Amino acid sequence: MHTPLPENRLNTPQAQIWTSILETAPIILTKKIDLTQDIIKIGDATEISPAQKETILSAFKALTPWRKGPYQIFGTLIDSEWQCQLKWNRLAPHLPDLTDKTVLDIGCNSGYFSFRLAGLNAKKVIAIDPTTLYYFQFHLLNRYINTTQIDYLPIGFEDLSPTIPQFDVILNMGILYHHPNPIDCLMICKNKLKKNGLLILETLIISDPAITSLIPKNRYAGMKNITQIPSVPQIMEWLSHCGFSSAEVIGTTITTISEQRSTPWSSPHSLKNVITDTGLTIEGYPQPRRVMIKAWA
Ligand SMILES: C[S@@+](CC[C@H](N)C(=O)[O-])C[C@H]1O[C@@H](n2cnc3c(N)ncnc32)[C@H](O)[C@@H]1O
């Protein structure tokens, strides 16, 4: 069951255009759905006519930029800016058997990780994201994937209602550094996890042992919405403060231009435009490095 966009977000000229794109994309019933491979596959080229192909691809084109993916739709690769299978492959070995588990995917974007969770037969995935474009991207994909395992809510983590039951697993990936109060975000995760539930936390970090947290003066790697980038020990302190019983680092990675790059389906600007030859960001900060942590409530 999906929650519609609230009226004030639906009644904008842009949302009206996207609504009509979504509603007019031809419905093709395909059983050839594969949510278990690096590239999420939806149908194959033999199932649609050239005219249908043109309409479907122009619907996907109208919803650019595709930041998260990749997807293959009736034989055409929707090559997203981020190669999310790389993050997924770092994460998946740490997930429990999901067949009887409920999962919250915070900041699900177009739904790549939620679809992969469905591919692991998660009992139910609640996918949340407050950005209107990503609502339409998810629903365009799900027009063909047609999964009932995922419920998409067009909201931020701050808006999770107390009536939503606690989860077995929460993915909090690429979220913490965008928000003014990361401790509040972790506290919400703790409160929304069942006892012994698992949080997968993935976020930017600073690795200089002399720095607890980097607060960018203005932008970081070209992004203006970065409030602070903590060190791993700082994150561990936050998790403990929020009541997580234990936490463990899965690994750290430097983001490379094989993982994040510009494609015809994204925008021309990407990681390579914000990293200099010295390996620093254009603002002179250390280049993006990320940690993945598992923590138990
Ligand atoms: C950097 S992307 C991360 C996407 C994905 N989770 C990943 O790890 O690749 C951040 C996502 O969080 C969403 N977002 C922004 N504010 C949010 C909030 N308050 N609650 C949940 N998601 C949020 C954005 O719309 C965007 O899709």
Side-chain angles (χ1 to χ4, degrees):
M1 214 190 55
H2 303 295
T3 304
L5 274 182
E7 285 294 312
N8 62 336
R9 284 172 61 195
L10 199 55
N11 288 331
T12 67
Q14 184 62 80
Q16 292 294 311
I17 293 169
W18 287 335
T19 302
S20 119
I21 286 164
L22 182 63
E23 286 173 355
T24 52
I27 295 179
I28 312 284
L29 296 175
T30 175
K31 291 219 173 342
K32 296 178 183 167
I33 303 290
D34 190 349
L35 306 179
T36 69
Q37 305 296 319
D38 286 354
I39 301 176
I40 289 181
K41 292 212 171 68
I42 305 163
D44 72 32
T46 61
E47 293 177 289
I48 50 171
S49 67
Q52 286 172 324
K53 179 176 177 179
E54 200 184 314
T55 323
I56 292 172
L57 290 186
S58 64
F60 275 83
K61 233 356 184 212
L63 296 186
T64 49
W66 288 85
R67 299 224 177 269
K68 309 291 171 170
Y71 304 96
Q72 186 179 292
I73 173 96
F74 298 104
T76 298
L77 180 67
I78 310 295
D79 192 10
S80 51
E81 177 185 9
W82 282 86
Q83 296 289 290
C84 293
Q85 71 275 28
L86 299 176
K87 195 190 282 191
W88 174 259
N89 291 335
R90 296 192 282 268
L91 147 76
H94 300 276
L95 292 173
D97 177 358
L98 296 178
T99 44
D100 59 347
K101 303 277 192 299
T102 56
V103 188
L104 174 67
D105 181 8
I106 299 179
C108 63
N109 203 271
S110 64
Y112 181 87
F113 296 104
S114 295
F115 289 123
R116 296 299 304 268
L117 291 162
L120 287 183
N121 298 317
K123 186 172 139 199
K124 180 59 83 183
V125 180
I126 304 291
I128 66 169
D129 202 297
T131 304
T132 302
L133 172 63
Y134 305 141
Y135 169 91
F136 285 98
Q137 290 184 345
F138 172 85
H139 284 288
L140 183 59
L141 289 161
N142 206 38
R143 192 166 176 88
Y144 304 102
I145 295 175
N146 226 349
T147 178
T148 53
Q149 275 167 276
I150 305 172
D151 289 350
Y152 186 104
L153 309 181
I155 61 170
F157 64 82
E158 315 84 339
D159 309 314
L160 280 166
S161 125
T163 58
I164 294 179
Q166 291 174 310
F167 296 87
D168 297 293
V169 178
I170 295 181
L171 304 190
N172 178 327
M173 306 199 299
I175 302 295
L176 218 52
Y177 46 86
H178 285 312
H179 286 278
N181 194 336
I183 295 182
D184 277 358
C185 179
L186 294 176
M187 196 64 96
I188 289 171
C189 291
K190 166 71 174 63
N191 292 337
K192 277 290 171 199
L193 275 171
K194 294 179 187 168
K195 190 164 169 47
N196 300 321
L198 174 67
L199 172 71
I200 300 283
L201 175 65
E202 194 266 0
T203 191
L204 285 171
I205 49 162
I206 198 82
S207 67
D208 181 341
I211 302 179
T212 315
S213 220
L214 168 71
I215 300 182
K217 273 208 189 88
N218 189 358
R219 292 178 180 235
Y220 171 80
M223 296 179 278
K224 52 179 180 232
N225 54 353
I226 304 285
T227 51
Q228 65 172 303
I229 304 178
S231 64
V232 173
Q234 173 75 289
I235 296 173
M236 292 304 193
E237 275 181 24
W238 289 345
L239 288 166
S240 163
H241 172 79
C242 292
F244 284 88
S245 60
S246 59
E248 196 182 295
V249 170
I250 293 173
T252 60
T253 31
I254 290 180
T255 309
T256 68
I257 53 169
S258 338
E259 184 160 1
Q260 186 190 10
R261 76 278 189 272
S262 172
T263 76
W265 291 91
S266 68
S267 52
H269 187 86
S270 190
L271 184 63
K272 78 169 168 33
N273 306 103
V274 293
I275 301 296
T276 64
D277 293 342
T278 59
L280 298 175
T281 70
I282 48 174
E283 303 86 5
Y285 294 123
Q287 68 193 104
R289 181 188 292 264
R290 311 174 80 93
V291 71
M292 192 177 281
I293 291 174
K294 44 185 173 177
W296 289 268

